[in-house]
Amino acid sequence: MAGRRALILAGTGMLSPAAEALVRDGWHVVLPSRRYRPIAVPETKQGVAALKALRPRGHRPANGNGGREPGRALWVEAHCDRPRELATKAEAALGAPADLLVAWVHEQYRRSVLGACERLLAPRAPVVEVRSAGGPPAEAEPVLAAHPTQLVMVGSLSEIGDGRPLSHAELTEAVLHAMARAIEGRAASVHQVGQSRPLVR
C-alpha cells in the first residue's frame, strides 16, 4: 500500500480531528481503541459541476485537497492494558512502518504502550505525544527519545476565560499545530495548551 501511514493511540474519539485531518491529506491512519468511532472521510465521487469542468482526456479537476486522493482510517479493537497485543494488531493494520505516531495514552499505560509500538515506527519517524500538565518536571521528557517528539502538555483551564475549562477546540488546535510541525520535520519542542488548575491545600 502506497502513501504515508500514521498510528494514532488514544481513547475512542479523543483525537478524531487529528485522524480526520490526516485522512483528508491522503494518509492511511490506524486507530487502535476499545470502541469503534467512525472517522469522516472526504467524498471522492465527482459531482455535476466537476463533471462539467472535465477537460480533454487525462485531465481531472482538483478535489479541493491539492489534487490528492483522500486516505483512509482503519479502526482496530485493542486495549491499552494489553500493549503487546495492541502493537501486533496495529502492525497488521499498518502494513508497513508508520511515518507518524500521535499518542494520548493514560499515564498508567503510556510507557508500556508506546514502548510496545516503537518497533512499528519508521526510523526517526516523528511523534506527537499529548499528556496532562501538572506532573513533576521530569515527566516533560518524551517517552520515545529516539524519535523527534512534539510534546503537548494539556492543562484543565482555558487561557481565554476566567476559570473556564479548556475547550475541545483549543485542544484540537494545539494538537493539529504540533502535528503539522512533526510532519514538516521541525525540531522537537514542548507545547503548552491551557493552564493547570491551582492546587488547593
Side-chain angles (χ1 to χ4, degrees), residues 73-200:
L74 184 61
W75 172 73
V76 176
E77 183 179 7
H79 302 265
C80 286
D81 57 356
R82 299 200 287 271
R84 285 184 291 183
E85 178 183 300
L86 181 152
T88 298
K89 289 182 175 181
E91 182 178 28
L94 282 166
D99 304 295
L100 173 69
L101 169 64
V102 184
W104 191 359
V105 181
H106 190 279
E107 182 180 358
Q108 179 180 357
Y109 305 112
R110 185 186 303 136
R111 291 194 177 278
S112 60
V113 171
L114 270 62
C117 291
E118 184 172 18
R119 65 181 178 83
L120 310 184
L121 306 181
R124 299 291 295 168
V127 173
V128 176
E129 187 183 337
V130 185
R131 63 172 73 164
S132 297
E139 284 296 305
E141 294 297 321
V143 173
L144 303 181
H147 294 267
T149 300
Q150 304 296 322
L151 191 56
V152 181
M153 305 299 291
V154 181
S156 56
L157 300 177
S158 173
E159 296 176 350
I160 299 173
D162 294 333
R164 193 179 74 180
L166 184 72
S167 71
H168 193 258
E170 290 172 276
L171 174 59
T172 296
E173 182 180 359
V175 172
L176 292 179
H177 173 70
M179 203 166 69
R181 283 182 56 91
I183 293 170
E184 291 168 6
R186 307 284 288 275
S189 59
V190 178
H191 311 259
Q192 176 73 41
V193 55
Q195 303 174 4
S196 298
R197 191 177 297 277
L199 293 174
V200 178

